[in-house]
């Protein structure tokens, strides 16, 4: 079923969904199952699986030189989606990136997904690679997520890259990313929302947000989106903060702010267990308020910490 149909059929009830990362190369699918098994009691209608493009590393060679080598540390997004659907009978939503893909490779990936009966995708641009100052698309790849949305919508109408192909119509439901604290490259929130509206006008039918720790930012964002004419479901994304180092690593990676009250509580917690408890309680407080406000769903970034997510969901849903 399509993600949007789940929200429609929920009739105002707030749904819970989860997002997982593929395990590091060399691990088995059981790592995914171990993370998801305890979360399945909450009956998520769908589970997202992130995509991780290749990174370049410099390897020291026997000659003494360094060689630039491309490695993908977390492959397997499509295979994991298929394994999740088979094991749990829920929909799995692969993230699909512009970065690292030519249009041809994107088309082939979409054909694979269609054959596997995976009909939901989250269409994203992806970030710049570590050594590149800014996002660089592949030669003959997409520069912005909207271009990826357009390609998927073309395939939904039977339009393939090869004009000779009179192709089958796919039926993908497309989600896109939104940023309650603005995407870090955008000059301002207004410009970012204009670009978000363009993705929706191009065919995206729901939005999942970047994580945030201050619900007011989310509520203001939704208000601004509605004022701009964006009418699709906007689903808040949450990730509990449970460790001291995350007070710096999360803002650095996701360009979000922590409320001072949360920072103080984390810093004054007496040990690691107390810090985790602070993060759990904060996420419970956020989830309860979001649910009371009638959000269509809460999307939890599990990032390998199922036990923490389990406690939060148990307390709220
Ligand atoms: P876009 O929508 O293309 O926007 C990127 C920037 O360009 C924004 O500042 C936007 O305002 C601007 N822009 C858009 N269109 C135009 C235009 N036509 N002209 C000028 N400017 C424009 N990354 C991964 O690598 N793997 C994942 O699995 C993954 N999952 C994610 C899931 C969620 C819910 C979110 C919120 C993010 C995820 N990301 C993931 C991170 C994402 O790839 C980055 O945030 C990336 O920098 C932007 O992606 P986007 O799809 O929002 O890009």
């Amino acid at each position: 079923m399509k993600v949007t149909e789940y929200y429609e059929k929920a009739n105002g009830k707030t749904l819970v969904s989860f997002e997982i990362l593929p395990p590091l190369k060399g691990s088995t699918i059981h790592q995914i199952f171990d993370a998801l098994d305890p979360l399945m009691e909450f009956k998520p209608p769908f589970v997202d699986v992130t995509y991780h493009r290749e990174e370049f590393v410099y390897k020291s060679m026997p000659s003494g030189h360094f060689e630039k080598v491309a490695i993908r540390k977390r492959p397997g997004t499509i295979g994991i989606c298929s394994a999740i659907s088979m094991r749990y009978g829920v929909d799995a939503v692969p993230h699909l990136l512009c970065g690292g893909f030519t249009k041809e490779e994107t088309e082939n990936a979409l054909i694979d997904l269609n054959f596997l009966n995976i009909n939901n995708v989250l269409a994203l641009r992806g970030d710049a690679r570590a050594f590149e100052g800014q996002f660089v698309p592949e030669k003959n790849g997409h520069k912005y997520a909207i271009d990826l949305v357009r390609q998927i919508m073309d395939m939904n109408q039977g339009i393939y890259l090869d004009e000779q192909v009179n192709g089958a119509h796919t039926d993908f439901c497309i989600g896109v990313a939104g940023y309650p604290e603005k995407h870090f490259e955008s000059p301002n929130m207004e410009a970012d929302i204009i670009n978000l509206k363009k993705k929706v006008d191009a065919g995206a039918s729901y939005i999942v947000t970047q994580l945030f720790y201050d619900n007011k930012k989310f509520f203001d964002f939704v208000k601004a989106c509605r004022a701009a004419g964006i009418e699709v479901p906007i689903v808040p994304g949450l990730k509990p903060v449970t460790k001291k180092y995350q007070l710096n690593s999360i803002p650095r990676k996701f360009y979000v702010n922590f409320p001072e009250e949360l920072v103080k509580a984390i810093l004054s917690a007496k040990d690691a267990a107390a810090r985790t408890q602070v993060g759990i309680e904060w996420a419970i407080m956020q989830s309860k308020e979001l649910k009371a406000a009638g959000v269509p769903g809460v999307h939890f970034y599990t990032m390998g910490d199922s036990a923490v997510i389990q406690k939060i969901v148990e307390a709220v849903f």
Side-chain angles (χ1 to χ4, degrees):
M1 207 155 99
K2 293 184 175 172
V3 164
T4 45
E5 288 178 64
Y6 287 115
Y7 291 130
E8 279 158 26
K9 289 193 173 159
N11 248 336
K13 181 175 173 246
T14 299
L15 302 179
V16 181
S17 56
F18 303 113
E19 180 164 314
I20 57 155
L21 274 66
L24 288 169
K25 192 184 279 185
S27 308
T28 71
I29 190 71
H30 295 288
Q31 197 175 324
I32 294 293
F33 294 156
D34 289 347
L36 281 179
D37 282 352
L39 298 177
M40 283 300 141
E41 65 168 293
F42 304 112
K43 303 205 176 343
F46 62 90
V47 173
D48 275 43
V49 184
T50 55
Y51 191 95
H52 301 260
R53 65 185 296 195
E54 83 292 349
E55 280 292 344
F56 288 117
V57 293
Y58 286 90
K59 258 190 165 171
S60 140
M61 305 312 280
S63 61
H65 289 97
F66 284 93
E67 202 173 291
K68 195 169 147 192
V69 184
I71 51 162
R72 270 190 73 203
K73 291 184 180 162
R74 294 181 186 272
T77 299
I78 294 182
I80 292 169
C81 284
S82 182
I84 289 174
S85 307
M86 280 195 285
R87 181 175 172 96
Y88 302 109
V90 299
D91 278 289
V93 183
H95 292 190
L96 206 56
L97 303 186
C98 303
F101 283 79
T102 63
K103 291 176 195 167
E104 191 71 32
E105 287 163 343
T106 297
E107 186 172 272
N108 292 336
L110 290 164
I111 289 171
D112 280 343
L113 293 174
N114 193 38
F115 288 159
L116 288 166
N117 202 25
I118 294 171
N119 296 316
N120 296 286
V121 287
L122 195 73
L124 301 146
R125 186 195 70 179
D127 280 322
R129 278 189 286 228
F131 70 97
E132 290 169 338
Q134 57 182 21
F135 176 80
V136 180
E138 289 302 296
K139 196 161 169 258
N140 198 28
H142 295 304
K143 190 171 178 195
Y144 295 111
I146 188 173
D147 305 316
L148 179 54
V149 173
R150 288 190 179 124
Q151 184 176 4
I152 304 168
M153 287 304 287
D154 275 352
M155 282 181 67
N156 280 353
Q157 286 154 49
I159 301 166
Y160 289 68
L161 294 173
D162 180 350
E163 286 157 14
Q164 307 293 321
V165 175
N166 184 10
H169 291 221
T170 56
D171 190 21
F172 288 108
C173 168
I174 309 168
V176 288
Y179 300 84
E181 298 189 47
K182 148 182 129 52
H183 185 261
F184 71 101
E185 291 169 21
S186 261
N188 56 45
M189 184 58 103
E190 289 73 20
D192 208 24
I193 289 178
I194 287 170
N195 286 326
L196 179 58
K197 167 106 173 28
K198 286 183 187 161
K199 290 194 279 193
V200 172
D201 290 345
S205 48
Y206 69 100
I207 295 164
V208 184
T209 77
Q210 183 60 282
L211 48 93
F212 58 91
Y213 295 88
D214 178 354
N215 283 352
K216 185 175 181 308
K217 300 247 167 77
F218 173 80
F219 294 132
D220 288 348
F221 172 71
V222 173
K223 213 186 273 176
C225 287
R226 300 302 182 222
I230 296 173
E231 287 170 2
V232 299
I234 303 178
V235 182
L238 294 186
K239 173 185 160 39
V241 53
T242 54
K243 300 183 177 65
K244 200 151 86 177
Y245 75 81
Q246 290 175 325
L247 292 179
N248 302 112
S249 65
I250 288 177
R252 198 167 55 232
K253 189 157 190 314
F254 301 104
Y255 303 93
V256 297
N257 290 289
F258 285 113
E260 187 53 18
E261 192 188 337
L262 176 58
V263 175
K264 279 187 183 150
I266 293 275
L267 291 179
S268 60
K270 69 176 189 320
D271 55 22
R275 270 190 289 280
T276 300
Q277 194 52 33
V278 168
I280 289 174
E281 280 165 20
W282 191 272
I284 289 174
M285 179 272 290
Q286 278 195 278
S287 305
K288 282 186 173 165
E289 194 183 15
L290 290 164
K291 189 178 166 209
V295 295
V298 178
H299 187 71
F300 288 97
Y301 297 102
T302 65
M303 294 184 176
D305 214 345
S306 300
V308 163
I309 303 293
Q310 203 177 351
K311 287 187 184 140
I312 298 160
V313 180
E314 244 160 25
V316 184
F317 294 92

